[in-house]
Amino acid sequence: MSLYHSTSPEQTRALGEAVGRLADAGDLIALTGEIGAGKTLFVGGLARGLGVDPATYVSSPTFTIMHRYGGRLPLYHIDLYRIETPEAFASLGLDEYLAGDGVAAIEWAEHGWGCLPKEMLTFRLRYTGSDTRTIEIVPEGDRYMRLVQALTRDLLV
Ligand SMILES: Nc1ncnc2c1ncn2[C@@H]1O[C@H](COP(=O)(O)OP(=O)(O)O)[C@@H](O)[C@H]1O
Ligand SMILES: [Mg+2]
């Protein structure tokens, strides 16, 4: 686990962008944190890092559940905020996006109710002040441990 301190929206976006540059097909990025924590902003950075057109506006897919953006790899941006039960999650049929040809980023991943793959890379965002956030980075599995090592190197240089 590592902890990242963000002192501006730009920094949170830059963290997402660095992850997007390192991401591979099939990667699963989970985001947790209250409304306004910065999950969507992070996904905007992820989109940038995946080469999605910078003019594309990334917003929470709260009502549509999933947005697809085309970049170097497709980005599947999922928001589980309104998903209230394991049955509701199962009925979405998201499997093809989770282990697919692209990168899946899931806001409110805790609403996956234990039905999500065990291996994923989680970013837990916490509000600590109007412009500051702490972001806990939790990799599960070898693939994501390596990704976090590369991410740490990229952020240091
Ligand atoms: N350090 C920071 N990191 C992320 N967002 C920040 C930060 N400081 C202020 N903000 C603001 O917090 C809001 C985060 O919104 P958003 O990304 O939509 O959150 P969420 O998707 O978690 O509900 C934005 O208005 C952003 O400008
Ligand atoms: Mg959001």
Side-chain angles (χ1 to χ4, degrees):
M1 193 269 279
S2 34
L3 202 57
Y4 184 82
H5 295 276
S6 166
T7 57
S8 67
E10 292 68 34
Q11 260 183 12
T12 299
R13 204 197 317 267
L15 179 63
E17 187 168 351
V19 174
R21 282 194 301 263
L22 294 166
D24 280 341
D27 280 349
L28 176 54
I29 310 295
L31 298 147
T32 70
E34 293 304 307
I35 290 173
K39 302 180 295 298
T40 300
L41 197 76
F42 181 100
V43 177
L46 198 58
R48 200 68 69 86
L50 282 165
V52 174
D53 180 346
T56 304
Y57 178 69
V58 173
S59 61
S60 290
T62 307
F63 295 97
T64 51
I65 309 293
M66 203 273 287
H67 287 159
R68 182 190 186 282
Y69 300 100
R72 164 174 75 78
L73 300 166
L75 169 62
Y76 301 108
H77 181 192
I78 295 163
D79 186 336
L80 300 179
Y81 180 62
R82 296 175 72 246
I83 302 305
E84 291 175 349
T85 62
E87 292 71 29
F89 175 80
S91 73
L92 295 174
L94 292 175
D95 289 4
E96 67 173 298
Y97 304 118
L98 300 186
D101 55 340
V103 175
I106 309 188
E107 296 193 39
W108 296 94
E110 59 272 50
H111 288 192
W113 306 107
C115 307
L116 292 170
K118 200 171 147 359
E119 298 207 348
M120 55 187 179
L121 177 56
T122 303
F123 292 84
R124 294 188 190 141
L125 292 88
R126 284 198 192 88
Y127 181 98
T128 51
S130 59
D131 287 339
T132 57
R133 305 288 186 271
T134 58
I135 305 176
E136 211 182 299
I137 307 175
V138 188
E140 293 275 4
D142 289 348
R143 155 74 191 138
Y144 300 111
M145 304 261 195
R146 285 195 305 275
L147 199 158
V148 172
Q149 279 168 6
L151 181 64
T152 308
R153 276 197 300 274
D154 287 359
L155 293 174
L156 289 176
V157 294

